[in-house]
RNA sequence: GGAGAGGUGGCCGAGCGGCUGAAGGCGGCGGUUUGCUAAACCGUUAUACUUAUUUCGGUAGGUAUCGGGGGUUCGAAUCCCCCCCUCUCCGCCA
């Protein structure tokens, strides 16, 4: 959520930002409604203030008279009753007027909130302008140098055969040949875009996840977390996935069964990690919070019908190691963390000798909550193309404002202003999608797949699949 | 699933129709004292929205907030209704 005050002061900035992102939202109307509401609120508060004053003046008298009333009879009683009536008259009249204004406010509120939630965070000035993914800009490319695993290195500018001396297979073919996955039975169980991993396939899946998870904890000091993957609507709204991404989430309709609220399956561990400290005021000294989780992710893939239907690329359920950083409200710090979080992933990919590139996403590809986003794409020989495996976002206070996550300057419950935190997130590793580059790049001429050395401890020492 | 008890400021905890934005304690901050540390004492210490003013750091005012939402009342932390959450006991259970 953006700051409504900032919007009032500089509507053009947000209008341009929305335009650059290709998001249509009626900012003009939002400002009008906000202005209306504030007028009404001011009036109401004025009345209320007056009422409070009257009440304070008349209150003790009323109390006294009511006490006298108990022992009074006849004419004296009538006298007191009359006085009471008079005393109550003025504040009672105000009450009606106040309630009327309150009703008006309550009419305006949902509309304002709906619109406000839709206003995207404007992209940073240095983000290239573009319509969609075709406007993204490659900023870096890394190819593995020669090594024992890849004697000639791997150059994504050349064909697979030129690199490795034989014609490679795609991951679907490899999975089938090595008995690592079973798509038919997956579909039988759970419908399209479902799969079963088996044997070394499942083991490799777990190995990359564990490797990546431990890597963030042991090498970079992230705090390991397990967080809910089935959450309340407030958490989805707070983390910025709703309302815009509502169609992407599986919806568990508990209210239909008599429950008090519905639940939603999360499409990323980010939701749980960011939700942990919602409605909290953290101490400045606690920051930055560096969290990593590994969790199952559920995505409806609505609107992706017909896209990437085969294989492990676009599936409804997968597992992901996700990192988030919650830091102080500082653009410089936010930018520095972004670089670091990307750096961790680069290191990780390099350790597994997977060619990758960094893409600076353009304005049209950012989504409502990001000021800046870098996608990391791994080389997928079967597609003869890079495919997105990671996405690193910088959100400033957009998410923390929605989540009401603040910190107090000056350390342990000390004095100081409260400020919304800044947040960032990045994939560490998502599997089984990541098995695509892993299997395809490391396949051998004999049809087997070499397991990168760093993964072997997680595979019971296995060096080769098949 | 059944039966009970509760949710009050950063934390603990009192209040159970007006004198309460809220006692007391802890913690934090400032000060006094003091070889140092500690202790003692004094002061101070919620958040959001909003208005006016401003030498843009403030200053003065208003409204709201005692889990959330509604209601009763001239007036609600306090009474009533709905919801959410926590705890205890029983049942079921990976």
């Amino acid at each position: 959520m953006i700051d409504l005050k900032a919007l009032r002061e500089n509507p053009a900035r947000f209008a341009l930002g929305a335009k650059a992102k290709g998001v249509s939202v009626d900012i003009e109307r939002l400002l009008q409604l906000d202005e209306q509401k504030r007028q009404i609120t001011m009036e109401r508060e004025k009345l209320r203030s007056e009422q409070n004053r009257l009440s304070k003046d008349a209150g003790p008298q009323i109390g006294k008279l009511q006490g006298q009333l108990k022992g009074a009879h006849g004419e004296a009683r009538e006298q007191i009753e009359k006085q009471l009536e008079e005393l109550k008259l003025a504040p009672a009249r105000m009450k009606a007027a106040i309630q009327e204004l309150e009703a008006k406010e309550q009419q305006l509120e949902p509309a304002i909130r709906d619109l406000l939630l839709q206003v995207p965070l404007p992209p940073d000035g240095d983000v290239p302008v573009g319509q969609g993914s075709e406007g993204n800009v490659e900023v870096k490319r890394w190819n593995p140098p020669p090594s024992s695993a890849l004697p000639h290195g791997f150059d994504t500018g050349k064909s697979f055969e030129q690199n490795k001396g034989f014609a490679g297979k795609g991951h679907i073919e490899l999975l089938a040949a090595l008995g690592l996955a079973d798509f038919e039975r997956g579909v039988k169980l759970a419908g399209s875009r479902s799969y079963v991993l088996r044997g070394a396939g499942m083991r490799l899946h777990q190995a990359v996840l564990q490797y990546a998870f431990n890597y963030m904890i042991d090498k970079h000091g992230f705090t390991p977390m397990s967080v809910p993957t089935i959450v309340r609507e407030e958490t989805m709204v707070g983390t910025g996935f709703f309302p815009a991404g509502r169609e992407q989430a599986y919806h568990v309709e508990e209210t239909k069964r008599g429950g008090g609220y519905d639940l939603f399956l999360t499409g990323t561990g980010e939701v749980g990690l960011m939700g942990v400290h919602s409605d909290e005021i953290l101490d400045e000294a606690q920051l930055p919070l560096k969290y990593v989780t590994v969790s199952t992710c559920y995505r409806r893939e609505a609107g992706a019908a017909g896209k990437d239907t085969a294989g492990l690329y676009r599936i409804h359920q997968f597992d992901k190691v996700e990192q988030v950083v919650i830091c102080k409200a500082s653009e410089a710090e936010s930018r520095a963390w972004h670089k670091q979080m990307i750096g961790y992933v680069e290191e990780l990919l390099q350790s597994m000798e997977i060619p990758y590139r960094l893409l600076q996403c353009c304005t049209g590809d950012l989504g409502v909550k990001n000021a800046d986003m870098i996608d990391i794409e791994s080389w997928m020989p079967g597609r003869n193309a890079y495919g997105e495996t990671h996405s690193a976002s910088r959100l400033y206070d957009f998410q923390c404002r929605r989540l009401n996550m603040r910190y107090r300057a000056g350390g342990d419950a000390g004095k100081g202003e409260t400020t919304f935190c800044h947040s960032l997130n990045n994939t560490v590793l998502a599997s089984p999608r990541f098995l695509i580059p892993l299997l395809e790049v490391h396949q051998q001429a004999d049809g087997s797949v070499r397991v990168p050395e760093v993964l072997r401890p997680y595979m019971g020492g296995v060096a080769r699949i098949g």
Side-chain angles (χ1 to χ4, degrees):
Chain A
M1 180 163 56
I2 56 132
D3 184 359
L4 189 52
K5 264 187 258 176
L7 180 74
R8 278 183 212 135
E9 275 163 26
N10 192 355
R13 181 178 157 234
F14 293 92
L16 286 171
K19 201 177 161 208
K21 284 189 167 185
V23 174
S24 100
V25 51
D26 196 342
I27 289 177
E28 212 38 48
R29 188 172 142 72
L30 173 56
L31 287 170
Q32 271 173 22
L33 292 174
D34 172 54
E35 180 57 33
Q36 271 180 43
K37 200 198 136 198
R38 277 197 300 157
Q39 284 295 338
I40 294 168
T41 304
M42 252 160 63
E43 247 179 276
R44 197 206 73 218
E45 287 188 351
K46 222 166 96 192
L47 285 177
R48 183 77 190 162
S49 163
E50 181 65 16
Q51 192 200 24
N52 280 346
R53 221 204 67 234
L54 283 173
S55 211
K56 220 170 215 169
D57 287 350
Q61 287 184 60
I62 291 171
K64 210 196 262 172
L65 287 172
Q66 273 172 345
Q68 288 173 8
L69 197 62
K70 278 177 196 160
H73 302 283
E75 214 168 289
R77 190 181 176 89
E78 270 175 41
Q79 270 284 318
I80 294 168
E81 275 174 350
K82 213 173 139 196
Q83 280 184 49
L84 271 173
E85 215 170 289
E86 268 167 35
L87 277 170
K88 286 182 181 179
L89 199 66
R93 223 183 259 145
M94 305 195 82
K95 192 184 167 187
I98 289 169
Q99 280 180 336
E100 203 174 301
L101 289 171
E102 264 176 0
K104 275 191 201 165
E105 275 180 293
Q106 278 174 8
Q107 262 181 340
L108 290 171
E109 247 159 39
I112 291 172
R113 191 181 151 74
D114 280 2
L115 280 168
L116 187 60
L117 284 176
Q118 288 173 45
V119 180
L121 184 65
D124 267 342
D126 51 359
V127 171
V129 176
Q131 301 279 308
S133 55
E134 66 286 346
N136 296 344
V137 179
E138 183 178 303
V139 291
K140 179 177 178 177
R141 195 179 275 227
W142 183 84
N143 284 322
S147 68
S148 59
L150 298 165
H152 310 292
F154 198 107
D155 182 355
T156 53
K158 294 183 195 160
S159 72
F160 185 88
E161 189 156 6
Q162 283 172 319
N163 272 300
K164 298 199 54 157
F166 63 96
K169 295 174 187 159
H171 79 281
I172 300 174
E173 214 180 321
L174 283 165
L175 290 166
L178 298 169
L180 306 180
D182 184 340
F183 291 101
E184 289 76 15
R185 291 193 174 97
V187 171
K188 177 179 77 178
L189 282 168
S192 67
R193 301 190 188 282
S194 301
Y195 56 93
V196 169
L197 293 178
R198 66 188 311 158
M202 175 54 175
R203 206 163 194 199
L204 189 63
H205 169 71
Q206 288 295 321
V208 284
L209 291 170
Q210 273 192 58
Y211 169 57
F213 188 58
N214 287 353
Y215 173 86
M216 293 306 288
I217 301 161
D218 298 333
K219 278 224 163 123
H220 298 298
F222 275 63
T223 307
M225 307 280 278
S226 169
V227 287
T229 55
I230 173 167
V231 302
R232 309 168 73 117
E233 183 164 5
E234 293 91 309
T235 309
M236 295 301 277
V237 174
T239 47
F241 287 88
F242 283 9
R246 210 183 167 91
E247 289 310 303
Q248 281 306 323
Y250 287 102
H251 183 178
V252 183
E253 297 185 295
E254 278 296 291
T255 43
K256 285 196 174 165
R257 312 175 61 184
Y261 49 92
D262 283 357
L263 290 161
F264 297 85
L265 297 184
T266 59
T268 165
E270 174 195 340
V271 176
L273 288 179
M274 288 305 302
V276 167
H277 294 291
S278 62
D279 287 318
E280 288 185 29
I281 300 175
L282 304 163
D283 296 332
E284 188 176 11
Q286 283 176 264
L287 302 178
L289 294 172
K290 307 190 291 177
Y291 288 152
V292 63
T293 190
V294 54
S295 69
T296 304
C297 307
Y298 301 92
R299 298 191 181 178
R300 288 186 67 224
E301 296 298 349
K307 245 162 102 185
D308 316 304
T309 46
L312 293 176
Y313 192 79
R314 195 175 297 277
I315 49 199
H316 288 309
Q317 177 185 328
F318 59 95
D319 295 284
K320 181 154 65 82
V321 181
E322 177 79 6
Q323 54 174 322
V324 306
V325 167
I326 297 160
C327 69
K328 281 189 270 190
S330 143
E331 179 174 345
E333 199 173 328
S334 168
R335 283 180 183 273
W337 272 114
H338 198 223
K339 285 205 176 73
Q340 281 207 58
M341 293 167 80
I342 293 164
Y344 302 150
V345 171
E346 290 194 60
E347 238 179 87
L348 194 72
L349 292 174
Q350 289 178 15
S351 75
M352 292 185 280
E353 297 178 287
I354 300 296
Y356 65 84
R357 66 171 180 170
L358 267 46
L359 278 189
Q360 169 65 60
C361 292
C362 72
T363 55
D365 210 24
L366 285 187
V368 281
K369 61 194 174 86
N370 299 343
D372 179 14
M373 181 163 85
I374 302 267
D375 278 355
I376 302 172
E377 299 189 331
S378 300
W379 182 248
M380 300 184 178
R383 306 178 142 221
N384 195 35
Y386 288 96
E388 182 186 329
T389 48
H390 300 72
S391 187
S393 296
R394 214 149 55 72
L395 297 82
Y396 292 128
D397 65 357
F398 187 85
Q399 207 169 30
C400 295
R401 187 181 291 277
R402 287 188 179 222
L403 286 164
N404 193 26
M405 190 192 306
R406 291 166 293 169
Y407 69 94
R408 192 189 301 281
D412 191 35
K415 274 200 219 177
E417 291 205 334
T418 58
T419 315
F420 290 109
C421 307
H422 280 188
S423 69
L424 302 98
N425 62 76
N426 188 10
T427 319
V428 180
L429 194 139
S431 183
R433 185 182 277 191
F434 190 72
L435 299 186
I436 300 170
L438 197 62
L439 293 170
E440 290 181 355
V441 168
H442 292 302
Q443 63 182 303
Q444 307 295 307
D446 64 3
S448 68
V449 173
R450 180 180 188 277
V451 177
E453 259 172 71
V454 290
L455 296 178
R456 290 178 196 167
Y458 300 94
M459 291 280 292
V462 168
R464 179 177 292 254
I465 298 170

